[in-house]
Amino acid sequence: MISRTRLQQQLADLQDVTAPGKGINRLAFTDADWQGRAYLMGLMREAGMELREDAFGNVIGHVKGADESLPAVMFGSHGDSVPQGGNFDGIVGILAAIETCGKCPLGSFQKGNIENFLIGHDSHEFLLGCTHACHRRGAGYGEDFIA
């Protein structure tokens, strides 16, 4: 069952994983980003997900369905932040996915696979803030994408 108390505690834990400054500063490739990812990956493992990492540094938490031949339903978000960001940006999507995948009794209605997608780095710092998500859905990196 989804626990409001557990989610509030996880949000509070992640609020402390930030570089100094106003708001949340968990920018891509910083120590705070790596600490946040490690925390989220631990929660994914605790929820019973099998973790793998792709070439972009995205972490995919896999929950097997009754029929492994079916495509996975993927959901999740990014774990880093923009400078002086808010504590819910990105994190709520990941925590909701962890709760759904690991804590809810999915039972017999889960025929296909479910995957929680922890986007490696979504900060605007590199001017390509959504490259990981767009690449996963096949959008590519053409000039129209970068413009």
Side-chain angles (χ1 to χ4, degrees):
M1 175 175 285
I2 293 176
S3 167
R4 178 181 182 170
T5 304
R6 181 175 45 242
L7 283 170
Q8 287 174 328
Q9 183 59 56
Q10 292 166 347
L11 286 166
D13 291 346
L14 283 163
Q15 188 171 351
D16 294 335
V17 181
T18 181
K22 183 179 176 183
I24 302 299
N25 293 286
R26 199 169 32 246
L27 304 182
F29 302 111
T30 63
D31 288 342
D33 176 39
W34 293 116
Q35 291 170 3
R37 286 171 52 87
Y39 177 81
L40 291 167
M41 290 169 67
L43 294 178
M44 292 166 80
R45 284 187 194 96
E46 287 174 21
M49 296 178 196
E50 296 175 17
L51 302 187
R52 70 181 189 280
E53 193 167 343
D54 69 13
F56 283 101
N58 302 307
V59 176
I60 298 96
H62 184 80
V63 177
K64 291 181 182 179
D67 184 351
E68 279 284 305
S69 70
L70 294 173
V73 173
M74 296 184 78
F75 55 106
S77 193
H78 59 97
D80 60 348
S81 76
V82 296
Q84 300 179 6
N87 195 38
F88 299 140
D89 178 33
I91 299 303
V92 170
I94 296 170
L95 293 177
I98 292 170
E99 284 288 311
T100 302
C101 291
K103 306 299 184 200
C104 291
L106 298 174
S108 62
F109 75 86
Q110 186 202 342
K111 296 193 186 305
N113 307 299
I114 298 175
E115 293 187 336
N116 183 4
F117 194 69
L118 168 54
I119 296 175
H121 304 286
D122 204 36
S123 292
H124 77 293
E125 197 167 356
F126 302 102
L127 304 178
L128 296 172
C130 68
T131 55
H132 296 84
C134 293
H135 177 74
R136 291 297 287 192
R137 69 170 193 71
Y141 299 104
E143 288 299 320
D144 57 329
F145 177 76
I146 297 172

